[in-house]
Amino acid sequence: MMTISEQKTISKSQQLFQRAQQSIPGGVNSPVRAFKSVGGTPIFIQRAKGAYLYDADGNKYLDYINSWGPMILGHAYEPVVSAIREKANDSTSFGAPTELEIEIAELIKSMVPNVDLIRMVSSGTEACMSAIRLARGYTGRNKIVKFEGCYHGHADSFLVKAGSGLATFNIQTVPGVTAGVATDTLTSPYNDLEAIQKLVNGHKGEIAAIIIEPVAGNMGCIPPVPGFLEALRIICDKEDIVFIFDEVMTGFRLSAGGAQKTLGIDADLVTYGKVIGGGMPVGAFGGKKEIMQYVAPIGNVYQAGTLSGNPIAMIAGFTTLSVLKNDPSIYRDLEKKTIYLHEGLKKVFKNSNIPFVINRLGSMISVHFSEKPVIDFTSASQSNNQLFNQFFHHMLREGIYLPPSAFETWFLSNALTFEDIDRTISVAEKFRPQ
């Protein structure tokens, strides 16, 4: 495989980035793509197939981002591409109900625990924003609790001590978010049960919802410590708080039933994105009927979207989810491949005497250059993220495309082979910190 270090050119990406900055803020349509955290010029992608990306200069990369999760079956997966092509012949949008919307809703209900009703939207941000509004309408309360370092999209409520892009750019107070919104958003450290209990006790009868990434993916991959989610479920039951799982990343990636199924924890509401669109822009929120029946038009909590249930997004998602439901071996294979990568990288870093922590659950994994466990946003921030930036560029030069931020989880696709992983490990072995 020809790599950048052999071809020694990303000239077209450089030209495109310069051109983009004349018309697009920062030259990108999502901040982390700008490579501002890791430095250098972002790579402009031209096409992708299977486990590989191809940039505008013709360079080839092994992809560990996979569009931030949805390409779980690999890029340009033929059944999905064929289904999109066929459906597009009927029109790309109707703004009216279709049978396909019913079919994907029924499919999701058949796969996921605790989803009686589900509403399609167009993004993960929209799904989380709608779920919070619904929780407030259902409980008659205003305050929500989120966890430091968890990212639930760019709605105002969620930008208080969020991870992901905000952490990458060291933005913790966001202009444009009003003091009133910030006051209604309470934050607590992830994986700290004592802190959340104290917070809830201090706001009795005021909290509408606790929203959490059941496996955090926006400060690297950080799984919940044993007992943490179980305790949150008990607190929510005791205090009549709506417990929301943000499964935009984990839904249909950790298992066909998502984090609820994998971890054995029931949520009241669940938000989805990524995989359910098969790579198309899509999101959804769903949950228990007693709560979901408050959504318009059967209830008074308003939510709407002209492109909600878009037929192209629905057929891409329906095709992807059908494959995942009908072939459980995909999740077993993904787990084996992620464990194989984990063990290989662990051996490499041990042999090189580089302090490291590798966090993993299912096909989500991240590397932190740290001497102590990484279990929350504070410990993720205290890792040697400058060293990660060096590691990122070393891997990129050799054709391995990692997330361009120490605060993002890696995602594997099932198109990735063990030979691909061996190459990844071999490239990591050549890393020499400066």
Side-chain angles (χ1 to χ4, degrees), residues 153-233:
H154 64 269
D156 287 1
S157 306
F158 303 132
L159 294 182
V160 180
K161 294 189 178 178
S164 192
L166 280 86
T168 298
F169 290 95
N170 196 29
I171 299 171
Q172 293 307 316
T173 301
V174 181
V177 177
T178 68
V181 169
T183 299
D184 282 339
T185 304
L186 309 173
T187 62
S188 185
Y190 193 82
N191 276 328
D192 188 334
L193 183 55
E194 184 179 347
I196 185 65
Q197 185 67 71
K198 183 177 180 180
L199 188 66
V200 170
N201 289 343
H203 294 274
K204 288 277 188 180
E206 297 179 320
I207 298 171
I210 292 177
I211 186 169
I212 190 170
E213 291 180 87
V215 178
N218 289 286
M219 38 186 159
C221 175
I222 300 185
V225 296
F228 183 61
L229 294 179
E230 290 85 348
L232 291 181
R233 176 70 273 177

Side-chain angles (χ1 to χ4, degrees), residues 201-382:
N201 289 343
H203 294 274
K204 288 277 188 180
E206 297 179 320
I207 298 171
I210 292 177
I211 186 169
I212 190 170
E213 291 180 87
V215 178
N218 289 286
M219 38 186 159
C221 175
I222 300 185
V225 296
F228 183 61
L229 294 179
E230 290 85 348
L232 291 181
R233 176 70 273 177
I234 292 170
I235 289 171
C236 288
D237 287 339
K238 182 180 178 182
E239 302 294 336
D240 294 322
I241 295 170
V242 177
F243 194 23
I244 305 174
F245 269 16
D246 176 350
E247 293 220 46
V248 169
M249 286 186 175
T250 58
F252 308 101
R253 170 160 282 278
L254 294 184
S255 71
Q260 286 192 97
K261 182 74 170 178
T262 301
L263 302 174
I265 307 293
D266 294 343
D268 298 316
L269 293 177
V270 190
T271 62
Y272 295 112
K274 312 294 185 187
V275 179
I276 70 164
M280 300 295 292
V282 72
F285 65 102
K288 297 176 178 178
K289 184 177 180 179
E290 64 187 83
I291 303 174
M292 289 297 294
Q293 65 187 2
Y294 277 71
V295 178
I298 56 174
N300 293 324
V301 176
Y302 193 72
Q303 182 278 325
T306 300
L307 296 180
S308 297
N310 173 270
I312 307 303
M314 294 297 93
I315 196 61
F318 183 82
T319 306
T320 301
L321 295 186
S322 296
V323 172
L324 295 174
K325 179 181 179 180
N326 295 324
D327 189 358
S329 69
I330 291 170
Y331 291 104
R332 293 195 294 270
D333 291 345
L334 277 167
E335 180 98 14
K336 289 175 185 176
K337 290 172 184 177
T338 313
I339 291 172
Y340 189 80
L341 175 64
H342 185 168
E343 293 301 320
L345 291 176
K346 183 166 71 172
K347 184 176 179 181
V348 163
F349 294 133
K350 276 188 175 180
N351 289 342
S352 61
N353 293 317
I354 298 174
F356 73 98
V357 171
I358 298 176
N359 287 343
R360 172 184 58 81
L361 189 62
S363 55
M364 297 169 64
I365 187 171
S366 60
V367 173
H368 305 263
F369 294 110
S370 174
E371 295 182 351
K372 59 183 181 180
V374 177
I375 60 166
D376 56 17
F377 182 61
T378 298
S379 50
S381 301
Q382 291 172 347

Side-chain angles (χ1 to χ4, degrees), residues 21-32:
Q21 291 175 81
Q22 306 309 306
S23 305
I24 303 170
V28 292
N29 284 309
S30 191
V32 175

